[in-house]
Amino acid sequence: ILERSASMSEKTMRDLFSGFCPISGSVLSYKRRVLRVQMTLPAVYGGSETGMMYYCCSPCVCDTQDFLKVDTKTIQIADGTTQAHFVVIGNPCTDQAKIPFQASDVNCGSNHELVKATLSDHGHIIIGMFFEPGIPHHSDSAAQKNDQAEFADMCAARAQSGHRSGMGTIFREVAAIAPIQVSNSSMSKIPVSTSDAAKLTKSGQTGTTDAQNGMVSKTTSVIASELSFARVQTCYLSVIFSLICVVF
């Protein structure tokens, strides 16, 4: 998606990122209830961020809070440069021997880089979008959501059972290879310019009528087509496409 973002509006880009689960890589069906969860996660530049994420099933919420951090990414969209927040993991290629054999599509280059990875502003591997508060139809006050705290008991029970539901241990094994160490003093959030912030706000409000009435069929088909092509580029742990995210 980010490789092609220069040809998209911000609204289209965000809609595409809402169409798959960043933990499993599973494409989310528009025919079933959306599992949209408000999460508070550590930020790589210190502190924490609160925002919205989309999931295929509840166990993926557990894996998120155990391993993911938030970072920014300055990106090119159709009407200029803007900055958005994303969830990131560390680079598993720093210790290739620990990559589980089941994750056969987690491939490393000659310089210990993860093949086809897109990096955040602080150099971490992006696996999905973190929708900042106030994004129309995703994380604004009208968006229906669950809260991270609602899954605490389920996550505790899942941990006691050996993480057997959801993605099982494959994602966890990969994400645990190089956990991101957060330091409040070593990094700072990369600022976005005032003009770019204005563009972000204006672009994010585009298309309100369509979103309120539900995606028109043409828009839906375009998003589905984009996801079919782009998910391989965006979900770097693509081995998990072949697995079913089982609802706990």
Side-chain angles (χ1 to χ4, degrees):
I1 296 173
L2 293 179
E3 289 180 1
R4 307 179 71 193
S5 64
S7 64
M8 303 176 190
S9 67
E10 184 188 352
K11 181 181 182 300
T12 296
M13 179 194 68
R14 288 187 180 275
D15 286 343
L16 289 173
F17 269 107
S18 72
F20 66 91
C21 173
I23 298 295
S24 71
S26 301
V27 175
L28 304 180
S29 171
Y30 288 97
K31 297 181 180 180
R32 75 175 193 179
R33 175 183 175 273
V34 171
L35 180 56
R36 181 166 44 206
V37 183
Q38 181 171 283
M39 304 289 293
T40 298
L41 300 174
V44 301
Y45 39 79
S48 62
E49 296 283 1
T50 297
M52 214 74 74
M53 293 184 63
Y54 289 83
Y55 295 103
C56 62
C57 59
S58 55
C60 291
V61 176
C62 313
D63 293 338
T64 293
Q65 61 190 15
D66 287 347
F67 292 104
L68 300 192
K69 304 294 190 294
V70 176
D71 198 5
T72 57
K73 174 68 176 176
T74 304
I75 52 181
Q76 183 72 36
I77 55 176
D79 59 352
T81 302
T82 192
Q83 187 184 76
H85 290 75
F86 295 87
V87 284
V88 296
I89 61 171
N91 180 12
C93 293
T94 58
D95 194 345
Q96 298 182 41
K98 292 184 178 179
I99 298 175
F101 73 90
Q102 299 96 329
S104 57
D105 288 339
V106 180
N107 299 312
C108 302
S110 58
N111 294 318
H112 302 286
E113 77 279 9
L114 182 61
V115 175
K116 295 192 73 65
T118 299
L119 303 183
S120 64
D121 284 336
H122 289 100
H124 303 295
I125 295 167
I126 292 173
I127 65 170
M129 178 165 278
F130 191 76
F131 290 82
E132 310 93 332
I135 301 300
H137 322 300
H138 293 292
S139 56
D140 60 2
S141 59
Q144 295 183 346
K145 65 182 183 298
N146 294 97
D147 188 82
Q148 178 179 358
E150 298 174 32
F151 301 89
D153 291 344
M154 183 274 296
C155 289
R158 179 174 180 258
Q160 292 179 353
S161 70
H163 306 284
R164 289 182 294 180
S165 59
M167 286 308 304
T169 62
I170 295 178
F171 175 83
R172 298 180 66 87
E173 289 179 44
V174 173
I177 293 173
I180 298 171
Q181 302 300 319
V182 175
S183 171
N184 289 329
S185 59
S186 62
M187 295 182 181
S188 60
K189 187 173 182 179
I190 296 177
V192 59
S193 70
T194 302
S195 59
D196 286 339
K199 289 178 182 178
L200 187 152
T201 302
K202 181 178 179 181
S203 177
Q205 293 174 343
T206 302
T208 300
T209 300
D210 282 349
Q212 287 176 335
N213 296 325
M215 285 271 183
V216 293
S217 58
K218 180 177 180 180
T219 303
T220 302
S221 64
V222 169
I223 290 176
S225 176
E226 291 281 359
L227 276 171
S228 178
F229 179 87
R231 62 179 175 173
V232 176
Q233 301 177 19
T234 307
C235 301
Y236 314 125
L237 309 180
S238 56
V239 63
I240 56 186
F241 289 157
S242 63
L243 300 176
I244 298 175
C245 192
V246 180
V247 176
F248 181 82

